[in-house]
Each structure stands twice: as C-alpha cells, then as structure tokens.
Amino acid sequence: MKKPLLGYGRYLLLLLLPCFAFHPTSVDRREVSTALFAANTQETFDTGTKTDYATGTVALTTGNWILTDGVLGATDADRKNGAQAVRLQGAGKLTMDFYLPTGASTITIQHAIYGSDGSSSWELWAQAQSCNCNKWTKLGNTVSTTSNTLQTAAFTANISGNVKFEIRKTSGGSARLNLDDFAVTEFGTAAPSVDNNNIALGNPSGAVTDVSYFDNYLLVKPQYVMSYNRDQGKPNWVSWHLDIADRDTANRQNDFRNDPSLPDGWYQVQSTSYSGSGFDRGHNCPSADRTSTLENNSATFFMTNMMPQAPNNNQKTWADLENYTRTFLPGNEVYVICGSYGVGGVGSNNATVVNTLDQGRVTVPARCWKVIVVLPVGDNDASRVNANTRIIAIDTPNVNSIDTNWGTYRTSVDAIEKATGYDLLSNLPVDVQTVIESKVDNGPTI
C-alpha cells in the first residue's frame, strides 16, 4: 500500500493506480448487484434519504450505498449539483454495497468543502470480486479538497470484471466534505496509450505544476519530466523515454547551470553548489541518453536534473547501468524512472555522513533508485507491457564504498514503492502491475 501523497484532483487527471494483491475468502451474496450499467454510469445521490451520521445503508439509483459518519445533505451549505450531495465528517466513508458488473476504465468524483469548513483529504479504494476476497486497494493519490465549489477528481483504473468502490475521508477532524456525481466509465473504453511520452508509464507522485506543491512540483521539459522538491534542491524523481532517435553525435556539453524555468522566487541550485563537498553532480536523466542534438544534451545539465551522488556510485555503479541500458537500442525502446530518497550520504572527502550542501539548500540523499522498462520498438507502449516484459529495478546506498556491480542492488518495483511512497508504472493494466512489480530481475548485467 502506498503512503498518502499530495492530491491534485482539481488540476489533473490522476493517472496513478497501485497493484492489486488479493487473498481468497468468502463473498457475501447480497453485495452482488443485478443491475446493468451503461458505458457511462453516474450516481447523483439525489434519491434516497439519510439525515443522521450513524452508519446506515441507503437505496440510491445505482444500488445500495453504505454511509459511515455521513449523510445525504440538502442544505444551502452543501455543495451539490442537484437536490443533495453526500456529506462526510470525521473519518467518514462512502461505500458501494454492490459490484459494477462491467468493470471500470475511469472514475470521476465531484468534491468540495462543506460550507465554510476547512480543507479535507480523501482517497478512492477499489475491490474486485474476481479475487473472491474482501481486500481493498487504494487508487491513485490522496486528494486534497480546498475549494468551496465542486471540483473534479479523476482516476484511471482499467479494472475488468466486477468491481466496487469506497471513498474514505482521511483527514478526520471537524471539517466536513461534500461529494457528488460519482461517475464510472466501463472497462475497455479508456483512451489509447501514448507513445514515446516521457511520462507514459505514470506520474509516480501525482506531481502538479503549481507553486503550492513546492515539494512535488511537476517540471516538464521535452527531454524529461520530473517531480522537483524546492526545499531539497533536487528531483524526487525523473522519468524519460529512450530510443535510437535520442542518440546521435552531439557532444557532451558539460554546461552545468541553474534552471531559470523554476517558479519566481525559488532558489536555483548553482553549478558550484556541490563544489568541495565530495559529491558529484549526478545526472538523473543521463547526458548520453540525449545526444540527438546539442540542445537536448545541454538540457540534461540543468541542476534541477542533478542529485548529490557519491563519486563511485555516479561514475561506476550508476554509469555502468546507464551504459547497459543503452545496449538495448536500436531493437528496443526503454522507459526509465529514477530518483533518490532519505537523508545522508557518504562522499569521497571522508567517512562522515553528510546531510545537506549549499548551506542547507540541497539535501544529500541516502539512497538512489532506478526502474528500467524494456520494450521492443512498437506502438501503444503502455499497453504492450506484459508479464514477460523485462523490468530492472535497483536501489543503491549513496556511499563511496559502494559495490561497483549494479546487479548487487537489484530489487523489486514493489520494494521501491514501499520505500518512497510512490506509485510507479501506474498507467499499466492492474493485472500486469501485479506480476511485474513483485519480480526481481535476474537477467544479464553486461
């Protein structure tokens, strides 16, 4: 299960979906709905009555729903599109007491703060009947509700077969949350996959191009996409696509420099910020992955693309893996997501753990990680990833005494997700995620 992350339902489509892990158990027959659903199904919450916060079941147009610490509110302070909306307080929940028989491709939910209450956070969870269990799995990121007008949170699910959903208010407290117009598009009607997009496999942290999200700021460049952390002076993660078109004869530019594309007022890490620290300016997206033009190569030298990396990690272990990744070309294309987490590394100056550089403006990570997805050249990339696709995941200590054999540090995507709280490869079908994210690569390393 992923840790809660900053929500952004009012800004972007959430393209994040964690893996399902199911365990057999019994199913209560009363939960199986006999209703038939059209390609687009919407619950408006305008029928039914529930005026007290005690847990109870209410009959609505789509079927029976269970409200825990919730009511159907029709006051002037309730934010609603029709006659009424769900209102949750405390740790309230809104739960389907039936399964949708046609699966789910996307889900949209209207949400707003109740009256003049403060902000709330909430999550969407799913349960598939096919597993014959009662295990719930969180979809996407935690959503933050801050507006007193209804906003849309959208989730991509791609779940086939019978499925039901539950909304959980996670912020607790006295602030109340309105929910309205719960809409589901049936499985099989999702938009086609995007090819050669640097973030085609998902936005791991739900990063947003909004200055309010200073620790999870979405920075998009033609050469790569990242979640930038202003207060750490480095990326949380960087994602990019690599194929033979990205490789040509452009020379390495070595023009390390500050990134003026950051929002006004944010500190721009300088080319000299790591000087004398015992740590390299370690690329996330490597220079050699962008040699098609001088401009593309130069873009990899923005300091927003750097992390403080122990020299032997950067120049040996990490570099060897980067070189190995490029050997898959030209017959394959590769998606790479990498980043760092934790605080405190050991560079080349001495054996002392260093936490920050540049007068505290740049965090030295404790670990550096990378996930590589290898595909034969083709179309509809995300849809072509399957249980047999080679996935290489590594998680290395950021120390100069590191083993130079990167294969030593192979791990699973699941393990990196647990360590970081991110939702990697979230645009892939759920059944594929379930298989590939638990595997540890055992393929060749040279």
Side-chain angles (χ1 to χ4, degrees):
M1 184 174 66
K2 316 302 186 290
K3 296 190 296 188
L5 297 166
L6 291 173
Y8 66 113
R10 58 196 169 117
Y11 296 103
L12 295 174
L13 178 68
L14 295 179
L15 297 177
L16 303 170
L17 176 63
C19 299
F20 281 77
F22 296 121
H23 305 281
T25 185
S26 61
V27 177
D28 189 340
R29 291 180 181 271
R30 67 183 174 83
E31 294 181 330
V32 181
S33 173
T34 58
L36 296 178
F37 286 79
N40 294 284
T41 300
Q42 179 170 299
E43 177 54 68
T44 64
F45 304 108
D46 288 333
T47 61
T49 302
K50 188 174 186 299
T51 57
D52 64 84
Y53 284 101
T55 300
T57 300
V58 60
L60 298 170
T61 301
T62 53
N64 289 342
W65 294 68
I66 302 171
L67 276 73
T68 305
D69 220 358
V71 300
L72 292 173
T75 69
D76 290 342
D78 285 292
R79 312 304 176 183
K80 53 192 181 298
N81 284 323
Q84 57 189 15
V86 172
R87 186 199 315 152
L88 299 181
Q89 67 175 10
K93 294 189 293 187
L94 172 66
T95 310
M96 284 183 172
D97 199 22
F98 59 93
Y99 287 93
L100 302 180
T102 54
S105 177
T106 60
I107 305 98
T108 60
I109 306 162
Q110 298 280 304
H111 61 108
I113 62 174
Y114 169 79
S116 59
D117 284 8
S119 61
S120 292
S121 60
W122 55 275
E123 298 169 351
L124 178 64
W125 291 69
Q127 182 183 117
Q129 188 185 16
S130 60
C131 67
N132 293 323
C133 67
N134 58 2
K135 181 175 178 62
W136 293 91
T137 299
K138 181 184 171 186
L139 308 189
N141 288 347
T142 302
V143 178
S144 179
T145 298
T146 60
S147 174
N148 60 7
T149 59
L150 287 168
Q151 307 293 319
T152 301
F155 305 80
T156 294
N158 290 333
I159 303 171
S160 62
N162 295 345
V163 63
K164 65 180 179 179
F165 298 98
E166 179 175 271
I167 296 174
R168 302 177 184 179
K169 184 174 178 290
T170 56
S171 52
S174 59
R176 289 158 290 186
L177 168 70
N178 276 136
L179 301 166
D180 204 358
D181 292 349
F182 186 102
V184 179
T185 302
E186 72 177 31
F187 179 76
T189 57
S193 300
V194 177
D195 289 332
N196 303 343
N197 185 312
N198 289 323
I199 202 169
L201 302 188
N203 179 332
S205 62
V208 183
T209 305
D210 184 310
V211 294
S212 300
Y213 296 84
F214 56 84
D215 59 351
N216 191 28
Y217 183 79
L218 187 69
L219 185 59
V220 179
K221 297 184 183 293
Q223 299 80 12
Y224 48 82
V225 175
M226 73 171 64
S227 163
Y228 187 74
N229 192 315
R230 181 198 67 186
D231 292 350
Q232 293 189 2
K234 67 173 184 64
N236 298 310
W237 53 263
V238 180
S239 179
W240 67 97
H241 173 265
L242 173 65
D243 64 19
I244 196 62
D246 297 306
R247 296 271 294 161
D248 208 331
T249 58
N251 292 327
R252 179 182 170 97
Q253 295 303 290
N254 278 323
D255 53 345
F256 292 93
R257 64 200 185 282
N258 57 297
D259 190 343
S261 70
L262 289 174
D264 291 343
W266 285 23
Y267 177 71
Q268 297 176 16
V269 179
Q270 303 296 304
S271 63
T272 56
S273 291
Y274 295 16
S275 297
S277 67
F279 292 90
D280 283 0
R281 294 170 294 192
H283 283 70
N284 281 264
C285 178
S287 162
D289 280 8
R290 294 291 183 258
T291 57
S292 56
T293 67
L294 294 178
E295 179 184 6
N296 286 342
N297 187 264
S298 178
T300 69
F301 288 90
F302 284 119
M303 291 301 294
T304 48
N305 186 42
M306 304 299 157
M307 58 183 167
Q309 204 166 9
N312 285 340
N313 191 350
N314 179 43
Q315 300 171 30
K316 296 180 180 179
T317 311
W318 208 254
D320 286 350
L321 178 57
E322 291 172 350
N323 289 333
Y324 179 68
T325 302
R326 289 185 282 271
T327 67
F328 292 114
L329 311 180
N332 298 283
E333 54 188 307
V334 182
Y335 284 92
V336 186
I337 311 168
C338 79
S340 55
Y341 67 94
V343 178
V346 179
S348 59
N349 284 350
N350 50 53
T352 302
V353 174
V354 178
N355 291 333
T356 64
L357 311 178
D358 196 8
Q359 299 179 325
R361 299 186 182 102
V362 180
T363 297
V364 178
R367 310 284 301 191
C368 305
W369 59 270
K370 181 172 285 190
V371 173
I372 299 164
V373 180
V374 185
L375 287 172
V377 173
D379 300 322
N380 298 317
D381 293 344
S383 67
R384 294 187 299 114
V385 180
N386 58 51
N388 297 317
T389 299
R390 187 174 182 191
I391 310 290
I392 302 171
I394 69 164
D395 188 343
T396 69
N398 190 21
V399 296
N400 217 38
S401 58
I402 190 171
D403 190 326
T404 57
N405 177 9
W406 61 263
T408 304
Y409 301 105
R410 282 184 284 196
T411 185
S412 67
V413 174
D414 280 343
I416 294 175
E417 289 182 330
K418 182 177 180 181
T420 62
Y422 301 149
D423 186 11
L424 306 174
L425 312 182
S426 57
N427 285 356
L428 302 183
V430 172
D431 57 342
V432 174
Q433 289 188 58
T434 302
V435 175
I436 65 175
E437 292 193 352
S438 63
K439 288 183 177 179
V440 177
D441 178 67
N442 61 0
T445 59
I446 55 175

